[in-house]
Amino acid sequence: MNQQEINRILDEMEKKAEKDIEVVFNKRLKSILDQMLQMHKKFGKNGEASWTDVNKYNRFNQEMKMITQQLNADYKAIIKLIRESEERLYIERYLMLAYLLQQSTGEEMGFKIPSVEVIKSAIDNLVEFLSLPKVFEEHRNSIIRRLNIEIAQSLQAGESYTDMAIRIENAMGWTRKKAILVARTEGGRVRSQADLAVEEQASKTARLTKLWMSSLDTRVRKSHRKLDGQKADEDGYFHYGSWKSKAPRLWGVASMDIQCRCHTIYMVNGKLPEYRRGKDYMDDTYQKKLAARIDAYMEDTGLTYKQAFNKAYKDVKPPSVTVPFMSFGEWRKQFSGEG
């Protein structure tokens, strides 16, 4: 196991949560479209409802009230989904990184499974207007207003059901993307909080150095590309201009945090930790060759730290060794019953 593998596992967990959110919105879209179809059939002529017919006897407001009630329930369900995902992400990130650092150094670091209070504290956003309920209250109100406008305008323009459906699909697609963006940003923030908790505990017995690792692709924002490969200062902060942060997504600045896909990479006692059966990834000679190759790739070819790491990892091979090995699953059993 190494840090790249841990990140890939957690990325898949985040994708699962995003798919669950998509299911909620897809079900609601189908429900609203069916509701509008029935409205056209009931109040329309030749399959097209008019503003006059639908608005008669307060029918339009009744239709929108029903949609509002449904969306209220949906956003409560989405908040619950994200909360549950954040709890899983925090626990798994914490335990996997703790396992990697402890087993790769051979040092007992005194890790304990995070308590409910610790997890809740890490998940809660201390900035009130950035808390999940506040953020999604704004999202919910926005989509309700937009649906109200789109449906009313469609009726007033005398559009067909098909034209109205396109308007509704576009509106729901917009709010679905915003919800997934929030989930992705919050999941990353929670992962960073877990990193800091592990860092605090591991630093008691080992010397930790952390680096900023940007994503591979060209979508990386300019600021984060500049941060790529930067080592944190002696107090654990990364710096960009007048801003500082101890981990990705913890700047407290929207342009630096939203949809950030960067990660922290830890070096323990000057080495990149890795632990698996039959290979000594902490061997001094191997670590020196790996570090030199990473630096060379970044300097000579302009690769990001992540690209250089992946390329060097394939090129430089660790020595074989026969030592007692404990899998992550075995190591994790010691925490059974705690919490």
Side-chain angles (χ1 to χ4, degrees):
M1 178 182 283
N2 62 29
Q3 293 173 84
Q4 293 280 60
E5 291 172 352
I6 293 174
N7 286 332
R8 285 193 289 270
I9 292 170
L10 296 179
D11 287 346
E12 289 302 313
M13 291 177 62
E14 285 195 37
K15 288 178 183 177
K16 170 63 169 59
E18 291 173 12
K19 289 179 181 177
D20 290 340
I21 291 172
E22 287 187 348
V23 169
V24 173
F25 278 107
N26 289 339
K27 286 182 177 179
R28 184 54 52 219
L29 172 60
K30 183 179 179 181
S31 172
I32 293 174
L33 291 178
D34 183 66
Q35 183 180 340
M36 293 299 102
L37 178 60
Q38 298 307 316
M39 182 185 73
H40 272 269
K41 289 180 177 179
K42 186 175 181 180
F43 304 123
K45 297 176 182 178
N46 299 320
E48 293 182 10
S50 69
W51 171 252
T52 302
D53 291 331
V54 173
N55 202 37
K56 192 182 296 182
Y57 308 119
N58 204 33
R59 287 167 178 163
F60 175 77
N61 288 334
Q62 291 174 10
E63 296 290 338
M64 290 308 306
K65 182 178 180 181
M66 186 182 302
I67 291 175
T68 298
Q69 291 172 342
Q70 293 168 343
L71 286 170
N72 285 341
D74 289 338
Y75 275 102
K76 288 180 181 179
I78 289 169
I79 290 173
K80 184 180 179 181
L81 281 173
I82 294 176
R83 285 291 193 189
E84 291 173 348
S85 174
E86 287 177 335
E87 290 176 6
R88 290 192 296 269
L89 285 169
Y90 185 90
I91 292 172
E92 293 304 318
R93 176 66 182 178
Y94 181 93
L95 291 178
M96 287 183 185
L97 186 58
Y99 163 80
L100 176 61
L101 297 183
Q102 182 166 298
Q103 297 303 107
S104 62
T105 60
E107 298 283 344
E108 173 55 51
M109 294 181 170
F111 288 110
K112 296 181 179 179
I113 194 165
S115 66
V116 174
E117 291 76 16
V118 167
I119 296 172
K120 184 178 184 303
S121 177
I123 289 175
D124 288 341
N125 198 318
L126 298 180
V127 182
E128 183 181 358
F129 67 87
L130 291 179
S131 66
L132 280 180
K134 284 291 185 181
V135 169
F136 280 123
E137 179 183 2
E138 181 183 342
H139 286 198
R140 181 201 63 202
N141 292 340
S142 294
I143 187 58
I144 290 171
R145 283 195 299 269
R146 182 167 175 180
L147 286 172
N148 193 312
I149 291 170
E150 296 290 356
I151 294 171
Q153 287 181 346
S154 180
L155 289 168
Q156 290 166 2
E159 293 179 350
S160 66
Y161 165 76
T162 301
D163 291 330
M164 180 185 286
I166 292 173
R167 287 175 176 261
I168 294 171
E169 287 175 0
N170 289 338
M172 291 298 288
W174 166 80
T175 198
R176 182 183 68 245
K177 288 179 181 177
K178 291 188 70 174
I180 290 175
L181 178 59
V182 171
R184 190 174 299 160
T185 301
E186 285 298 291
R189 182 182 64 82
V190 167
R191 287 165 66 168
S192 289
Q193 293 285 14
D195 282 355
L196 295 183
V198 172
E199 177 185 330
E200 181 180 7
Q201 183 62 31
S203 295
K204 297 176 182 178
T205 55
R207 177 171 54 88
L208 295 188
T209 306
K210 59 184 177 184
L211 297 85
W212 186 285
M213 185 176 72
S214 296
S215 296
L216 290 168
D217 55 52
T218 56
R219 291 183 294 140
V220 176
R221 66 201 79 185
K222 181 181 177 181
S223 56
H224 291 189
R225 186 166 284 276
K226 282 193 172 184
L227 282 162
D228 187 53
Q230 182 186 121
K231 288 185 178 180
D233 66 18
E234 61 182 10
D235 295 318
Y237 285 98
F238 296 104
H239 295 265
Y240 182 77
S242 60
W243 299 324
K244 66 179 182 179
S245 176
K246 286 194 171 183
R249 296 164 294 271
L250 297 182
W251 297 89
V253 179
S255 61
M256 296 290 282
D257 291 339
I258 293 177
Q259 207 171 5
C260 170
R261 293 166 294 118
C262 301
H263 299 290
T264 299
I265 287 290
Y266 286 96
M267 297 181 71
V268 57
N269 299 328
K271 301 177 181 180
L272 286 164
E274 181 153 359
Y275 181 67
R276 64 184 76 241
R277 191 186 305 274
K279 297 290 183 180
D280 185 6
Y281 286 88
M282 305 308 288
D283 176 76
D284 289 340
T285 301
Y286 166 75
Q287 286 283 336
K288 289 177 182 177
K289 288 182 179 179
L290 182 63
R293 192 67 60 88
I294 292 173
D295 289 341
Y297 281 141
M298 293 180 70
E299 292 175 8
D300 298 343
T301 61
L303 298 179
T304 65
Y305 185 86
K306 186 175 183 178
Q307 291 169 323
F309 176 90
N310 289 341
K311 193 171 176 61
Y313 181 79
K314 292 178 180 178
D315 295 344
V316 184
K317 302 301 179 183
S320 298
V321 64
T322 303
V323 294
F325 176 83
M326 180 182 290
S327 70
F328 174 65
E330 294 169 333
W331 181 82
R332 184 173 177 160
K333 288 178 182 177
Q334 66 185 297
F335 300 114
S336 298
E338 292 190 25

